[in-house]
Amino acid sequence: MTRLTTALSRADLIRLRTRWRDPAAAVAGGLLLGSAFPPIGLWPAAAVGPALLLAVLRHCRPRAAFRLGTLFGLAFFTPLLWWLSNLGVLPWLALSIAQALLLGLLSCAVPAFGRLPGWPLWAACWWVTAEAVRSRVPLGGFPWGRLAFSQADSPALGWASVGGAPAVSAVVALVAGSLAALVTTRPGPRRLAAAGLVAAVGACAGGALLIPAPPSADQGPRARVAVVQGNVPRARNMEEQARLEQVAENHIAATRQLARDIRAGRTPRPDLVLWPENASDTDPRTDPSLHDRISDLVADLGAPLVVGAILDAPGDRIRNTGLLWLPDSGPGRYYTKQHLVPFGEYIPLRDVIGGLGKLQLIPRDFIAGDHPVRLDAGRVRLAESICYEVAYDSQVRGAVRTGANLLAVPTNNATYMRDGNIAEPEQQLAMSRLRAVEHDRAVLVASTTGISAIIAPDGKVTQSTGPWTRAVLTGTVPLRTTTTLATRLGPAPEAAFAVAACAAVAVGLRRRRGTPSRPAGSPEQPAEDVRIQTV
């Protein structure tokens, strides 16, 4: 009887330890991954965090994988998206939970290939595939939180020039998978797993050799640019911010000071001036007073101006655009934002939920653009990714493929910065740095409230502003026309990773069906079986 009691106690301890160990590891992994992104920016944690998740998923059942993946997602997305709480606790938690549940569903596939040879490679392919799914569904997807976006200061960034953001995520996930394999492999084969980890870390570090060379003064055509951050009053809530009418006035005033500096010889005349997203919340083509003031301003500058403007559209709708304003001909071509923000720029099921809470502050839906547009101003061939769009591979790639030699990311972050949290603009800046390397282009980031920046093609920030300040950045940037391998390959690397992941899942499921049941007490058995076998 004493032996039986002792055995049961030991079994209960094993079951209790197993029950809490894996969820704790999943939560710790999610928190670690969150720390890899700005504002903390501990980029090596982008491999360690996912490694904890992959380690606990490898030998569990699909139902447990769903729970563990969801826990990991909650621990990751909730702090990552804290800045969204400025819109309210409900939007922040709703998006965090939705993303966590989606990751939980995708995690159900991991145990299927957990015993295949070369498991870390299939784990990396699965991770990239999971990011691809999250970037597309639901409602156009939400690419925030991809591993690649945490690597702006990592040597792995160079892989962006080869295979874009999917390649950067893949090499980081390969390190994670190799680390997970090392801790879940029996002592005998661990030498091979250790060698795999060394090789994966080496591949990550080798990305430093792929980063485009820094531009030199005599290397190809260059342009003088100015980025205007007019700032807006720091409203206490969304209702106050929605009533502000001072945004355009602030940007006009800041640009007038730039014109005075040019006339006084303190600043060279730029080839292009850039305003941020929503610098004008009314259509300057149809508002006579605003039209005349911008026309006078552009004539005073003697340089083209790209205005972030809300333009009227048919059916009482509006467009979020970058509008080119030339000194001699006034307003001309414009680019319309293609990836609109759900519940921010349009309301899904507006007839049902459009009158609820703060959604009433969005009385009209925006119309999405359906193609990239290049804005030509002298030697500058500019293409834009407006705010949220910089997270989407296809949009940025399409902009570059218009023949653009300069990229711009006009943005309006005021809504997400009211509590002093600058995580959202910092995370967006990291994405812009990756895009610079991915396509070998200088990138201009123009924000109403910060952070505005000038980014070199090697991803380095050459100038930047602080938050909630009025400032004008001026500098010289290269106008590159070469195309990287990533630009030429387009979505092919991501598709290849997805095909490989699906094939690994299919092979793993087929092998499992043909494998006899494992003895009781194996890692795949439930805790009850472990207890019985111990007795």
Side-chain angles (χ1 to χ4, degrees), residues 238-514:
M238 278 192 68
E239 288 79 1
E240 289 183 23
Q241 235 169 25
R243 290 196 298 268
L244 293 174
E245 299 176 354
Q246 200 172 336
V247 182
E249 293 301 326
N250 285 2
H251 286 82
I252 288 172
T255 311
R256 279 179 178 153
Q257 181 58 53
L258 172 64
R260 286 194 289 269
D261 290 342
I262 293 170
R263 287 197 304 273
R266 292 187 291 267
T267 300
R269 190 178 307 278
D271 298 295
L272 183 76
V273 180
L274 179 68
W275 278 7
E277 177 190 28
N278 299 155
S280 170
D281 282 334
T282 58
D283 192 334
R285 304 171 306 172
T286 57
D287 182 325
S289 174
L290 185 57
H291 178 281
D292 291 345
R293 280 179 290 161
I294 294 179
S295 291
D296 292 343
L297 180 63
V298 173
D300 197 13
L301 283 171
L305 170 66
V306 178
V307 180
I310 303 300
L311 303 185
D312 297 326
D316 194 33
R317 299 173 75 183
I318 48 182
R319 294 186 176 95
N320 189 350
T321 71
L323 172 65
L324 179 63
W325 206 293
L326 298 173
D328 53 351
S329 57
R333 288 171 63 84
Y334 60 85
Y335 164 70
T336 301
K337 187 176 183 180
Q338 299 175 77
H339 286 276
L340 300 178
V341 180
F343 305 103
E345 292 172 317
Y346 74 99
I347 307 299
L349 302 174
R350 174 178 285 276
D351 293 340
V352 178
I353 64 174
L356 299 178
K358 293 180 179 179
L359 295 180
Q360 298 176 67
L361 297 175
I362 308 168
R364 298 188 291 173
D365 288 339
F366 284 74
I367 291 180
D370 57 8
H371 63 280
V373 175
R374 196 180 77 191
L375 306 177
D376 294 351
R379 72 185 76 177
V380 176
R381 306 286 185 265
L382 183 77
E384 290 195 333
S385 297
I386 299 178
C387 194
Y388 179 66
E389 291 187 310
V390 72
Y392 289 88
D393 297 347
S394 60
Q395 192 283 330
V396 184
R397 183 170 55 246
V400 174
R401 285 181 168 179
T402 62
N405 55 20
L406 181 63
L407 296 179
V409 182
T411 183
N412 178 14
N413 300 315
T415 303
Y416 308 114
M417 296 168 56
R418 290 194 312 271
D419 63 356
N421 187 334
I422 59 171
E424 194 273 347
E426 287 185 331
Q427 290 167 11
Q428 199 171 65
L429 180 64
M431 298 178 198
S432 301
R433 293 175 62 189
L434 179 138
R435 298 307 182 191
V437 174
E438 181 178 8
H439 299 291
D440 193 22
R441 295 290 188 276
V443 178
L444 310 179
V445 180
S447 172
T448 52
T449 55
I451 303 169
S452 300
I454 298 176
I455 304 171
D458 62 357
K460 297 292 192 301
V461 177
T462 60
Q463 294 186 60
S464 64
T465 68
W468 300 108
T469 59
R470 179 180 295 181
V472 177
L473 301 177
T474 59
T476 302
V477 295
L479 301 176
R480 293 189 174 175
T481 56
T482 56
T483 53
T484 64
L485 183 59
T487 308
R488 296 193 296 271
L489 289 176
E494 185 178 63
F497 289 127
V499 169
C502 292
V505 171
V507 171
L509 290 174
R510 184 174 179 181
R511 286 191 178 187
R512 281 194 166 195
R513 291 193 198 101

Side-chain angles (χ1 to χ4, degrees), residues 64-126:
F66 171 74
R67 292 196 299 268
L68 294 170
T70 301
L71 276 175
F72 177 93
L74 287 171
F76 170 47
F77 287 109
T78 304
L80 179 76
L81 304 178
W82 167 251
W83 44 265
L84 195 59
S85 64
N86 274 309
L87 294 178
V89 173
L90 181 59
W92 166 50
L93 292 181
L95 182 57
S96 300
I97 292 170
Q99 289 296 306
L101 289 171
L102 180 55
L103 183 58
L105 286 172
L106 293 166
S107 297
C108 295
V110 175
F113 56 82
R115 298 190 180 280
L116 293 183
W119 180 80
L121 178 61
W122 313 128
C125 292
W126 168 81

Side-chain angles (χ1 to χ4, degrees), residues 1-15 531-532 534-535:
M1 187 68 178
T2 303
R3 290 180 58 194
L4 179 61
T5 303
T6 303
L8 285 171
S9 299
R10 189 185 310 120
D12 289 340
L13 287 172
I14 293 172
R15 182 175 63 176
R531 180 181 60 187
I532 293 169
T534 304
V535 173

